[in-house]
Amino acid sequence: MNLPGQVSKKVIVTGAAGRTGSLVFSLLDTDPRFDVVGLVRSEESARKLIAKTDCLLEEVVVSDVTQMQFGNVQDRDTCPWPHPLDNAEAMVICTSAVPQVSKYSLIKAILKIPINILTRKKAINFRDLKFKYKPGQHPEMVDYVGVKKQIDFAKTLGVKHVVLVSSMGVLDPNNFLNQIGKDKYGNGHGDILIWKRKAEKYLCASGLQFTIIHPGGLVDTEPCKQDLVLDVDDVLMKMEKKSISRGDVASLCIAALTESGDRSVSFDCIGKQRDAAEGGESPIISADEAFRLFLLTGKTADYTLGPTGM
């Protein structure tokens, strides 16, 4: 609810029914500084978001980003978009291709658990599992084509600032995440990090203000319990632990909307458990403060890095 006389900033959150997107949507929905609209892929996703956040029906729009056909402002009569999306000032893109585990590989992994335990190995080795994507929902379509469509639509709407949640590890084409969706011969719909990197470059060249966030491994732990470490160009991939709470990533998205000024920036982020020698008793700084401190460094990702084609 807005305070009397307060003008809120309208923000579109895409992928709003997802595990990270719903957290971003919820934070914005309960913040009087913002007026939020969630974009979801299906009516089922819309029901899921409404049940999870108790938001209003008019705050949710159904549109598969891989099939977006919204035209230019001049085409409004022939190629309309839902009116709740009008007058948006910012967009937070949380869409991502989501792999599904092969049931056969999961059964094999479960059957190997007793042997793995006896030989003191991990009960289940994640890398032994096989994954696939739903038809039309693989990385090229969702993380590249779909993101490009969202960026183009943002420009059509007159959005000024796009926050894109991507992934850390994008500089390494051999990253395990790129193998998901491929067979043992390297065929299939994979390369999720490569497609994400290409979409990032498209956003950088769009003329829009941008904030690109590269989280480490996303975990469903309580936010605001670890120090947020921000850096660039996969430097944090060298850390032993490279995870971050989804809630902390959501808070960084809000920080990007409120603290960026007119700056465009791209950065990596992880959470770090603080020990006693590092001031274990002092309060954890907020995502806002962590982002402000990072901006003071003047760092941003170098998009000349990475193999040719990325």
Side-chain angles (χ1 to χ4, degrees):
M1 181 181 296
N2 295 333
L3 300 175
Q6 183 178 24
V7 178
S8 57
K9 175 188 286 190
K10 179 176 275 193
V11 182
I12 299 169
V13 178
T14 69
R19 294 164 71 184
T20 302
S22 61
L23 295 176
V24 176
F25 180 90
S26 183
L27 287 177
L28 291 170
D29 197 38
T30 54
D31 191 323
R33 297 172 296 178
F34 300 101
D35 177 15
V36 65
V37 178
L39 197 71
V40 298
R41 187 167 64 89
S42 64
E43 291 187 4
E44 180 183 356
S45 296
R47 289 192 292 269
K48 175 182 172 182
L49 179 63
I50 292 170
K52 190 172 184 178
T53 65
D54 199 29
C55 67
L56 301 175
L57 179 62
E58 55 265 32
E59 293 180 295
V60 184
V61 170
V62 177
S63 176
D64 184 339
V65 298
T66 67
Q67 303 299 320
M68 274 182 148
Q69 299 296 329
F70 304 136
N72 297 320
V73 173
Q74 292 82 359
D75 301 329
R76 182 67 193 261
D77 293 336
T78 57
C79 195
W81 57 82
H83 284 283
L85 301 176
D86 283 335
N87 304 314
E89 297 179 55
M91 177 183 287
V92 183
I93 298 178
C94 296
T95 52
S96 183
V98 179
Q100 295 182 315
V101 66
S102 159
K103 292 181 180 179
Y104 177 68
S105 71
L106 181 59
I107 292 171
K108 284 181 62 178
I110 292 173
L111 292 175
K112 289 174 64 177
I113 288 177
I115 297 174
N116 289 340
I117 292 175
L118 288 173
T119 55
R120 298 186 177 182
K121 297 179 181 178
K122 290 182 180 179
I124 293 182
N125 187 343
F126 178 80
R127 299 196 175 201
D128 286 340
L129 299 176
K130 303 298 181 185
F131 294 84
K132 59 184 178 180
Y133 296 96
K134 289 182 178 179
Q137 296 296 312
H138 52 271
E140 181 181 1
M141 284 302 299
V142 178
D143 295 278
Y144 181 56
V145 174
V147 171
K148 284 179 62 181
K149 286 178 177 288
Q150 292 173 75
I151 294 166
D152 290 342
F153 182 50
K155 294 176 73 172
T156 296
L157 283 174
V159 164
K160 305 300 183 186
H161 185 188
V162 172
V163 179
L164 172 61
V165 180
S166 186
S167 179
M168 204 162 73
V170 292
L171 295 183
D172 179 12
N174 297 315
N175 189 297
F176 171 68
L177 293 178
N178 285 327
Q179 307 310 311
I180 292 176
K182 295 183 179 182
D183 61 22
K184 62 182 179 180
Y185 304 107
N187 300 316
H189 293 297
D191 294 327
I192 187 168
L193 297 182
I194 291 175
W195 291 117
K196 283 181 180 292
R197 182 72 166 183
K198 289 185 175 184
E200 291 175 30
K201 288 186 174 182
Y202 188 82
L203 175 56
C204 292
S206 69
L208 296 170
Q209 181 186 354
F210 61 83
T211 307
I212 299 171
I213 303 175
H214 302 127
L218 293 168
V219 292
D220 296 313
T221 54
E222 188 177 355
C224 307
K225 296 298 182 182
Q226 294 187 322
D227 287 316
L228 295 180
V229 183
L230 279 55
D231 213 316
V232 297
D233 301 333
D234 282 352
V235 168
L236 298 178
M237 290 295 292
K238 300 172 185 176
M239 301 288 284
E240 181 180 356
K241 293 185 177 180
K242 300 179 281 289
S243 62
I244 184 170
S245 165
R246 290 181 188 274
D248 283 333
V249 173
S251 293
L252 283 169
C253 289
I254 311 307
L257 294 172
T258 60
E259 307 298 328
S260 292
D262 58 359
R263 291 271 304 278
S264 287
V265 66
S266 176
F267 64 92
D268 308 341
C269 54
I270 61 171
K272 183 176 182 292
Q273 191 68 44
R274 188 191 301 174
D275 58 35
E278 296 172 307
E281 299 302 320
S282 59
I284 300 294
I285 67 171
S286 67
D288 284 0
E289 183 64 17
F291 184 63
R292 284 195 294 265
L293 290 172
F294 174 75
L295 289 178
L296 290 175
T297 69
K299 293 180 179 179
T300 191
D302 182 352
Y303 280 91
T304 66
L305 299 178
T308 302
M310 288 181 67

